[in-house]
Amino acid sequence: MRAIGIESGGDRPRLFDVDRPDPAPGEVLVRTLRVGVDGTDHEVITGDHGGFPAGEERLVLGHEAVGVVVDPTTTDFERGDVVAPMVRRPPPGGTNAYFERAEPDMAPPSACVERGIDGAHGFMSEYFTSPAPFLIPVPEVHAAWGFLAEPISVLEKALDLARTSRSSFTWEPETALVLGNGPLGLLAVALLAPEMDVYCLGRRDRPDPTIDLLESLDATYVDARETPVGSVPAAYDPADLVVEATGAPRHAVESVDALAPNGVAALLGLPGSQELTVDAGRFHEDLVLHNKAIVGSVNAGPTHFHAAVDRLDALPAWFFDRYVTDLVSVDRFEAAFGPDTTIKAAVEFDTV
Ligand code: NAP
Ligand code: BGC
Ligand code: ZN
């Protein structure tokens, strides 16, 4: 079967011919429909994040997937069920407390592998297998956009952590600042815009489809070149909530400057190394005197995945059509990774 992945020493994804996997009892064989591409995939391709499975020189990419069950083996799934796989699996040495508690997202990197990212093959192949507990049912009506359950689940978790950190007092966020107008940032805008005023930071000139999309969601575009993060409160509004989705290290620090008193910043980006000069005293004092919080958040567990599937119902249909701009067949897979993608790219392997 065809699979898309990277090889040691290579600098771009390639098409491989690999064996179709055989599901063991308790596993499910899934026929892949669509697999999304995000900034993390690009970081994996460049070697800035993740790695090959132990002892291998090749990694099948893809961690945002949706597919159809073709062989449920001994599990409760039925042939024809639509499913989205979770990303994390126990490490080669065996399971651990994080997985036993069904909290794989809380495992440190040494206690898990991530399919398509770090240490385990992903879902960018015509078929994949998975143990049943790592598959989340998706209503068939959402089969087309079910691959977005994974990135939405990441945001559901981050927003949950942010809200929970503010749960000891009356916190009624009215304003959010999303840093980044890439695929993750725009999804965050779509989730938050029905609930509060949303500003979204980018660094692009108009006309630009990401700016058009965020404005269609009633958000306000903030051009980082004119208004850096720390100037947002004076130029626009202080933010009760910041969602960082740029991967720019300075935003981890500057997001605190953008917060209103009692606000929280959720950091999602996966930056490389970068040194900054920071007034640590002012940063520290601002956090303390204004009861501000920063939470880092990675991956998502089953609860947030189920919430993400519910969001597929809540988001307007027009949003998916405008958000997924580059849906390409396996034959044209390079286009999903190329520099010319517009907003969100995905590879289509098959239809329901
Ligand atoms: P992406 O495609 O790289 O998008 C990042 C966006 O941020 C781009 O639109 C970029 O603008 C913008 N940006 C970068 N630096 C900026 C700056 N200094 N000022 C203003 N805008 C800036 O990545 P993505 O898929 O949206 O994901 C965002 C980040 O989250 C990535 O680092 C990714 O690895 C990470 N991520 C983390 C998780 C998690 O579980 N924590 C999950 C998914 C993704 P241009 O396009 O104009 O350059
Ligand atoms: C994925 C997460 C993963 C994270 C770190 C993100 O792009 O969506 O599932 O945990 O990267 O590798
Ligand atoms: Zn991702």
Side-chain angles (χ1 to χ4, degrees):
M1 66 172 187
R2 292 175 299 173
I4 297 162
I6 52 170
E7 262 180 333
S8 174
D11 61 352
R12 69 195 63 180
R14 288 191 39 206
L15 198 59
F16 300 126
D17 188 28
V18 301
D19 291 339
R20 178 168 149 170
D22 252 340
E27 288 188 337
V28 173
L29 179 66
V30 179
R31 174 170 56 88
T32 309
L33 297 176
R34 293 178 173 182
V35 186
V37 175
D38 75 355
T40 305
D41 293 299
H42 290 283
E43 289 153 11
V44 171
I45 292 164
T46 55
D48 292 323
H49 182 64
F52 295 95
E56 297 191 40
E57 304 252 303
R58 198 186 254 193
L59 174 76
V60 176
L61 289 167
H63 63 278
E64 301 178 351
V66 65
V68 180
V69 172
V70 289
D71 183 355
T73 71
T74 57
T75 72
D76 291 337
F77 281 104
E78 289 183 10
R79 199 180 153 83
D81 285 349
V82 178
V83 291
M86 295 199 292
V87 175
R88 288 193 165 176
R89 298 290 181 274
T95 195
N96 55 51
Y98 299 104
F99 287 86
E100 283 156 10
R101 291 194 292 255
E103 294 173 352
D105 54 306
M106 300 312 293
S110 60
C112 66
V113 293
E114 293 190 336
R115 292 195 62 171
I117 300 175
D118 195 13
H121 293 301
F123 308 116
M124 266 201 190
S125 50
E126 289 177 272
Y127 294 85
F128 63 85
T129 55
S130 172
F134 296 110
L135 295 174
I136 306 295
V138 174
E140 188 173 337
V141 67
H142 295 308
W145 309 122
F147 65 96
L148 296 175
E150 199 281 334
I152 296 174
S153 74
V154 163
L155 290 166
E156 296 286 359
K157 174 184 170 180
L159 296 175
D160 189 12
L161 286 184
R163 269 187 224 105
T164 306
S165 80
R166 311 288 79 192
S167 63
S168 66
F169 62 98
T170 307
W171 188 61
E172 291 167 345
E174 293 177 352
T175 303
L177 172 64
V178 174
L179 306 182
N181 52 342
L184 192 64
L186 290 172
L187 259 189
V189 171
L191 265 51
L192 292 169
E195 292 174 38
M196 56 190 98
D197 294 335
V198 178
Y199 296 90
C200 181
L201 183 100
R203 53 183 178 187
R204 297 195 187 176
D205 295 327
R206 297 171 192 269
D208 181 86
T210 66
I211 302 172
D212 293 344
L213 179 58
L214 71 88
E215 288 181 341
S216 298
L217 291 162
D218 289 332
T220 302
Y221 178 57
V222 178
D223 189 330
R225 297 164 300 181
E226 292 160 12
T227 313
V229 177
S231 305
V232 172
Y236 298 93
D237 269 320
D240 300 309
L241 170 68
V242 171
V243 177
E244 179 277 318
T246 56
R250 59 183 315 110
H251 289 165
V253 178
E254 291 176 357
S255 60
V256 175
D257 297 331
L259 286 176
N262 307 338
V264 54
L267 308 184
L268 286 164
L270 301 171
S273 165
Q274 188 184 326
E275 291 190 9
L276 292 174
T277 302
V278 175
D279 183 339
R282 209 193 62 76
F283 176 75
H284 188 159
E285 185 190 50
D286 185 18
L287 279 165
V288 171
L289 288 184
H290 296 104
N291 289 294
K292 295 179 178 181
I294 308 176
V295 294
S297 183
V298 68
N299 196 253
T303 313
H304 299 116
F305 245 97
H306 285 291
V309 171
D310 291 344
R311 287 275 190 177
L312 294 174
D313 239 356
L315 288 165
W318 68 260
F319 170 74
F320 298 111
D321 289 328
R322 286 189 52 193
Y323 176 71
V324 182
T325 47
D326 299 83
L327 184 63
V328 303
S329 63
V330 182
D331 299 333
R332 294 188 53 244
F333 75 93
E334 285 107 333
F337 296 95
D340 297 329
T341 54
T342 304
I343 300 179
K344 182 72 179 179
V347 178
E348 182 166 73
F349 283 83
D350 209 349
T351 54
V352 177

